[in-house]
Amino acid sequence: MADQDRRLVFSWRYWLVVLATVLLAGALLGSATWASRFDEYAVKAAYLYNFAKFVEWPPEVFSATDSPLVICIAGDNPFGTALEALRDKVVEGRPVEVRHIPTATGLDRCNVVFIGRAEQRRLKTVLAELARLPILTVSDIGGFAQAGGMIGLFETEQRIRFNINIMAARQANLKLSSQLLKLATIVN
């Protein structure tokens, strides 16, 4: 084989190895990012369930003592399969039902509404539609509780924390447990 042919073969092998390394690194980083995001939303799904345990809705909200407690995801669903962990859960004797509402309309039939980051442009509209309805609003949009939502999730020091807007909850006629309030940062 001539020197020129050997350099060409070496060059092809070299770039093939480089390409494979880049693709492998990208795949690993991508899956790590996905895993991190999955874990984040698994924690947030657990928060949704636990928030429901510390909220008292007006009795007229539920048509029967065993009516389901409905948790709705408005817009895009960032939870993936994490919400499946809520299947068969019960809050105050009520089975938990999770619904995905892609159009973010018809949310008035929910007890808890999670508004994902993808709905940030429509946040004011959605909050206006839900204002004064006995629906617990939760989101991970930055400044959510300050903007009139009830519980805003945020990350700090690799932990999920939450703000609570007590006035928004009171206007919706929801009673939040003092135990829940102790864990939150209160905003107005």
Side-chain angles (χ1 to χ4, degrees), residues 38 40-46 48 73 76-83 114:
F38 178 79
E40 173 189 344
Y41 280 96
V43 171
K44 290 178 180 178
L48 289 178
I73 309 304
D76 288 345
N77 179 5
F79 289 92
T81 59
L83 292 171
F114 180 85

Side-chain angles (χ1 to χ4, degrees), residues 95-116:
V96 173
E97 185 178 307
V98 178
R99 296 180 188 165
H100 177 218
I101 314 288
T103 59
T105 58
L107 297 171
D108 56 332
R109 294 174 293 222
C110 307
N111 303 109
V112 178
V113 171
F114 180 85
I115 305 166

Side-chain angles (χ1 to χ4, degrees), residues 106-146:
L107 297 171
D108 56 332
R109 294 174 293 222
C110 307
N111 303 109
V112 178
V113 171
F114 180 85
I115 305 166
R117 292 179 189 145
E119 293 299 312
Q120 188 161 3
R121 288 183 303 150
R122 293 185 9 92
L123 180 61
K124 285 185 178 180
T125 303
V126 173
L127 286 178
E129 290 172 4
L130 300 178
R132 300 188 185 272
L133 293 175
I135 297 171
L136 182 70
T137 57
V138 182
S139 180
D140 57 0
I141 294 172
F144 178 73
Q146 293 85 348

Side-chain angles (χ1 to χ4, degrees), residues 5-27:
D5 290 339
R6 280 190 206 148
R7 277 185 274 176
L8 186 60
V9 168
F10 174 75
S11 176
W12 268 96
R13 287 183 184 161
Y14 172 78
W15 287 111
L16 189 59
V17 169
V18 169
L19 178 63
T21 303
V22 168
L23 290 175
L24 181 62

Side-chain angles (χ1 to χ4, degrees), residues 34-54:
W34 181 85
S36 172
R37 185 170 182 81
F38 178 79
D39 291 341
E40 173 189 344
Y41 280 96
V43 171
K44 290 178 180 178
Y47 268 99
L48 289 178
Y49 171 67
N50 285 303
F51 289 151
K53 294 187 330 187
F54 292 97

